[in-house]
Amino acid sequence: DPSVGWETDLEMTDEEDEDDYTGKSNYLAMCQRLAIVPVSHFIANLDNEVVSLRHHGLGSKGAKAVAECLMVNSSIVEVDLADNWLEEEGGAAIAEMLKENCTITKLDLSDNRIGSRGGRAFAEMLDNNISLKSLDLSGNRLVYKDAAALGQALKANFRLLTLDLSRNDFGEVGGAALGAALGSNDGLEWVNLSWNGIRRKGATAVAQGLRENTTVKHCDLSWNGFALSGGMALAEVIKNNNTLRVLDVSNNRIPDDAGVAIGKALEQNYKLVELRMGGNQFGERTMDALLSSAATHGSLERLHVENIKFSSEMREKLEQVLEQNTKLTIKLE
């Protein structure tokens, strides 16, 4: 009997069962059906707004039981299920639950290997869910076809505000799909697409989408492969987008020519507060262009240019710029 050994405080009384808005009875019944031990920490927090089961080793069966509970729970608004080896089946179960649940606004499902089946399930969920505002699917082995499904869903979803898709494997094709979604979406405010191997046409598509977007305020595109063409497209983003406040394009193999273009574009931008450009293939020309724009920039407060080599003369200019623009901080290492 899988229920042997359960703690007595995890059992339901008849009175509780009749009026169970927490989903506890659903959870215990599913645990028994799947022959798994209930997580007492989860049950103890079913009346709270925030539940964290990070690193609990739930697996796909545990995810199914949690999903069964959250299908009816009306208290919990934030759920952290990061690093639980949910895999495809467990990821799909959580996504299915979110089609019914209308109270959860924030979900962290990072590092769960949900793969393509899970990715597609979340894309379908985004077509139906009306409450979710923050979603973290980073580190989940999602690929280009999953980016296409998610991108299509994002074109119609305007409720989601925060989306983390970093550390997946979308590549050039996936980048193109997500770029098109960024251009059409009018809800997202915070986006992370770092560590996705987004290069060439994918990089320029993401930049084009960001140029057209009017809601994203924070965008992390670091550790991709934007190179020259993507870097030139990013210059157009900085020149034309008046919504972005924080842009991270560090470690993207962007060369000096694109760096100079970005520096000059900064002159025409009046909203950017933080620009992260460290770890690229810039030289002194880029540094000169960035400093010239930063000297009189009205909103820029933080400029990251780690690992750029420049002369003592350029360092003097940097110090002059910092004296001229007292609210500006420049990070060199």
Side-chain angles (χ1 to χ4, degrees), residues 68-111:
E68 190 73 15
C69 171
L70 295 178
M71 197 87 74
V72 297
N73 183 285
S74 56
S75 301
I76 298 169
V77 295
E78 293 186 16
V79 182
D80 186 348
L81 297 175
D83 187 28
N84 270 291
W85 284 79
L86 301 190
E87 300 188 301
E88 298 206 351
E89 199 171 349
I94 297 297
E96 284 298 313
M97 172 273 295
L98 286 168
K99 290 181 180 179
E100 304 296 328
N101 182 291
C102 57
T103 56
I104 293 174
T105 61
K106 183 177 182 179
L107 173 66
D108 186 343
L109 211 72
S110 59
D111 300 304

Side-chain angles (χ1 to χ4, degrees), residues 5-24:
W6 285 11
E7 302 167 27
T8 53
D9 65 334
L10 301 186
E11 295 170 359
M12 295 290 294
T13 66
D14 290 339
E15 197 173 291
E16 283 179 312
D17 200 23
E18 287 173 6
D19 194 26
D20 179 24
Y21 298 110
T22 66
K24 181 177 177 180

Side-chain angles (χ1 to χ4, degrees), residues 33-244:
R33 194 179 314 155
L34 296 173
I36 57 174
V37 178
V39 178
S40 55
H41 173 75
F42 180 52
I43 292 173
N45 285 279
L46 289 177
D47 282 322
N48 295 342
E49 290 191 352
V50 180
V51 170
S52 175
L53 293 175
R54 179 177 284 251
H55 317 307
H56 266 70
L58 293 177
S60 59
K61 287 185 177 180
K64 287 181 180 178
V66 166
E68 190 73 15
C69 171
L70 295 178
M71 197 87 74
V72 297
N73 183 285
S74 56
S75 301
I76 298 169
V77 295
E78 293 186 16
V79 182
D80 186 348
L81 297 175
D83 187 28
N84 270 291
W85 284 79
L86 301 190
E87 300 188 301
E88 298 206 351
E89 199 171 349
I94 297 297
E96 284 298 313
M97 172 273 295
L98 286 168
K99 290 181 180 179
E100 304 296 328
N101 182 291
C102 57
T103 56
I104 293 174
T105 61
K106 183 177 182 179
L107 173 66
D108 186 343
L109 211 72
S110 59
D111 300 304
N112 270 298
R113 304 162 187 256
I114 68 171
S116 288
R117 180 182 169 192
R120 288 195 301 272
F122 269 89
E124 290 175 15
M125 177 277 294
L126 288 172
D127 278 335
N128 296 275
N129 183 282
I130 60 170
S131 59
L132 197 64
K133 297 188 185 306
S134 176
L135 176 62
D136 188 341
L137 293 179
S138 60
N140 267 303
R141 299 185 173 180
L142 303 177
V143 296
Y144 70 93
K145 57 185 176 182
D146 310 318
L150 288 165
Q152 200 60 39
L154 289 171
K155 288 179 181 179
N157 183 302
F158 57 88
R159 295 179 179 88
L160 197 66
L161 303 177
T162 299
L163 179 62
D164 192 338
L165 293 175
S166 63
R167 296 183 294 109
N168 283 296
D169 192 20
F170 295 136
E172 181 177 5
V173 176
L178 292 171
L182 277 175
S184 301
N185 181 279
D186 58 358
L188 286 171
E189 296 180 358
W190 190 100
V191 179
N192 189 345
L193 297 178
S194 64
W195 290 97
N196 264 298
I198 298 173
R199 302 180 175 91
R200 296 179 291 269
K201 292 180 180 178
T204 54
V206 167
Q208 178 64 30
L210 204 53
R211 176 180 173 175
E212 296 169 359
N213 185 281
T214 58
T215 57
V216 174
K217 296 175 182 175
H218 185 294
C219 187
D220 188 345
L221 301 175
S222 62
W223 295 98
N224 282 294
F226 273 58
L228 176 60
S229 58
M232 297 301 284
L234 287 170
E236 291 300 311
V237 173
I238 291 171
K239 192 186 300 182
N240 293 281
N241 183 300
N242 287 313
T243 309
L244 270 174

